[in-house]
Amino acid sequence: MPALLRADLTQVLRNRGIVIWVMAFPIILATIFMFVFGDYSSGAGASAEVGLVEGPGAEALSEALDALAEGDDPLLTVRRYANEGDAEDAVLAGDVCAYVTVGDDGSPRMLVSPQDSGTVSQAVVQLVLDRYQQVAATLATVAERDPAALASPGAAEALAQALAGDDVLTERLSVLRAESGEFQRYYYAMLGFSSLMGAQVALLLVTSKRADGSEVGARRQVSATRPALQLASALLASWLVCLACQLVALAFIRFVVGVPLGGREGLAALACAACALVSCAIGAAVGALPGIPTPTKDTLLTIVTMGLSVPAGLFGTPSLELSDWLWSNLPLVQAVNPAAQVGEAFYRLTFYDSLEPFAASLASLVGISTALLCVAALFMRRQRYARL
């Protein structure tokens, strides 16, 4: 057994394709995510760029917007335009998220592009205008009912600041045990995708031991070493390689990217062990299929990997929406999807107080692995040449 294990590990590590796709690819993908999501997660670029059409009646609104455009982390960036035509061109070109103008009645109006509406920046501008109108209406009411209240110097400004300030004590509460980020699910889904990529390791080793895989495999099938022992060696070697790759990827996204694990890094390593097991089981099951050429098995495994990763939420917002819909309407489909279970395991580990949901995900991964390993063991038995 030690000699078989050493030979299998050597065979894997000498394969450049395995090293690139299984070891390096998760780190490359996480690095791409880090640069793509970095500005959003750090808060950079949160200032909403808004256009203001200058003209009669816009002085008060201009002062209010300028006050929100000051400071180290301004809420708004104000661009001024002489007329609505220039402001409309700027909106359509994407230079500003919206432009604001003051009507004849003194009320501000916000106009956005019909092709790009409902963004977060536009919502920020809308909230600012709503607050501005509330303050203006309150000042007008006070001036009408008690003109003397605003007669003293600075009274109107003090009242406006009091109305605009946040005089209500609020406390942000979270039902999760750790603060959730908008893009953390992509990293958890990436771990699920990378675990399925590790199935290439088991596919390589199991295929090399089958009689219909190569001449070497034919000699191995008729050797004195039992097929069950050869399969066990291949699975152990592939599990060790996949586990090492998963731990490296996990350490990278935890300490380099900064994705939290809720202080449960030890249990996260246990999750990596289950991820490596299911990846080996998938590769072994595909590799043990009889009567299929090795290139076809590679293609089949790639299709399976991509197909299972789509409902796991890796490929953008539509993929996340599909994942949420399946969890709500067809949970059994997600329960047997190893990529979805891997991402869900890390999510439950990080954000849930109870460890029962996390244990349920691990149990699902172990159950999937057991079923696939039984399939691999069934097809790895010695067979007559005519049936290969």
Side-chain angles (χ1 to χ4, degrees):
M1 184 66 175
L4 289 175
L5 180 61
R6 184 167 55 252
D8 288 336
L9 290 174
T10 302
Q11 181 181 355
V12 171
L13 298 178
R14 286 180 177 178
N15 190 299
R16 295 182 179 179
I18 294 296
V19 173
I20 294 175
W21 285 105
V22 180
M23 295 185 178
F25 185 76
I27 297 177
I28 296 173
L29 189 59
T31 303
I32 295 175
F33 284 175
M34 181 174 61
F35 283 107
V36 171
F37 301 147
D39 289 342
Y40 296 97
S41 60
S42 64
S47 178
E49 295 193 1
V50 59
L52 174 64
V53 179
E54 296 180 322
E59 294 81 4
L61 178 60
S62 176
E63 293 179 2
L65 296 180
D66 288 340
L68 297 174
E70 298 175 352
D72 297 333
D73 190 16
L75 182 64
L76 300 177
T77 299
V78 183
R79 299 178 183 268
R80 288 173 168 77
Y81 299 96
N83 53 69
E84 287 197 49
D86 294 341
E88 183 178 351
D89 293 339
V91 170
L92 295 176
D95 297 334
V96 293
C97 67
Y99 77 88
V100 180
T101 183
V102 178
D104 296 336
D105 58 350
S107 300
R109 296 184 299 116
M110 184 182 76
L111 294 95
V112 301
S113 171
Q115 289 80 22
D116 186 20
S117 61
T119 64
V120 175
S121 297
Q122 293 169 1
V124 171
V125 176
Q126 183 65 54
L127 289 174
V128 170
L129 295 182
D130 291 343
R131 191 67 168 177
Y132 170 81
Q133 288 184 291
Q134 291 174 4
V135 173
T138 303
L139 289 174
T141 302
V142 172
E144 180 182 356
R145 296 184 177 182
D146 188 7
L150 302 178
S152 61
E157 182 179 357
L159 179 58
Q161 290 179 353
L163 292 173
D166 187 6
D167 54 355
V168 179
L169 180 62
T170 61
E171 182 179 359
R172 182 178 180 182
L173 300 177
S174 176
V175 297
L176 303 177
R177 62 182 305 274
E179 185 176 356
S180 176
E182 183 178 358
F183 304 105
Q184 291 178 14
R185 288 183 64 185
Y186 288 104
Y187 290 100
Y188 300 145
M190 184 273 296
L191 289 174
F193 176 70
S194 64
S195 68
L196 296 190
M197 292 292 295
Q200 295 286 345
V201 180
L203 176 66
L204 170 68
L205 294 179
V206 172
T207 303
S208 66
K209 299 179 186 300
R210 284 196 55 83
D212 56 353
S214 64
E215 296 180 357
V216 176
R219 291 195 294 269
R220 287 174 174 173
Q221 281 285 305
V222 298
S223 65
T225 305
R226 292 177 300 168
L229 186 59
Q230 296 184 43
L231 178 61
S233 172
L235 290 175
L236 180 57
S238 57
W239 181 80
L240 291 174
V241 173
C242 292
L243 176 60
C245 295
Q246 284 284 299
L247 291 176
V248 170
L250 180 69
F252 183 84
I253 68 170
R254 173 64 185 91
F255 299 107
V256 179
V257 181
V259 177
L261 294 172
R264 294 173 171 174
E265 284 75 9
L267 291 176
L270 178 62
C272 288
C275 298
L277 179 63
V278 75
S279 66
C280 295
I282 295 174
V286 175
L289 294 176
I292 301 178
T294 300
T296 304
K297 292 180 181 179
D298 290 333
T299 304
L300 176 62
L301 185 57
T302 301
I303 295 174
V304 170
T305 299
M306 300 300 293
L308 294 177
S309 298
V310 171
L314 179 65
F315 303 103
T317 302
S319 181
L320 284 177
E321 293 176 351
L322 175 61
S323 176
D324 294 337
W325 186 88
L326 289 174
W327 278 113
S328 300
N329 298 277
L330 298 173
L332 291 179
V333 174
Q334 295 292 76
V336 297
N337 184 348
Q341 284 294 341
V342 170
E344 194 69 11
F346 286 103
Y347 188 87
R348 293 172 175 177
L349 177 66
T350 303
F351 299 115
Y352 289 16
D353 290 325
S354 174
L355 290 176
E356 292 183 4
F358 170 70
S361 293
L362 293 190
S364 297
L365 292 174
V366 173
I368 296 171
S369 303
T370 302
L372 293 175
L373 290 176
C374 290
V375 173
L378 177 65
F379 288 121
M380 280 296 292
R381 296 179 302 172
R382 281 197 176 98
Q383 301 178 28
R384 294 181 178 180
Y385 184 80
R387 297 184 59 185
L388 296 175

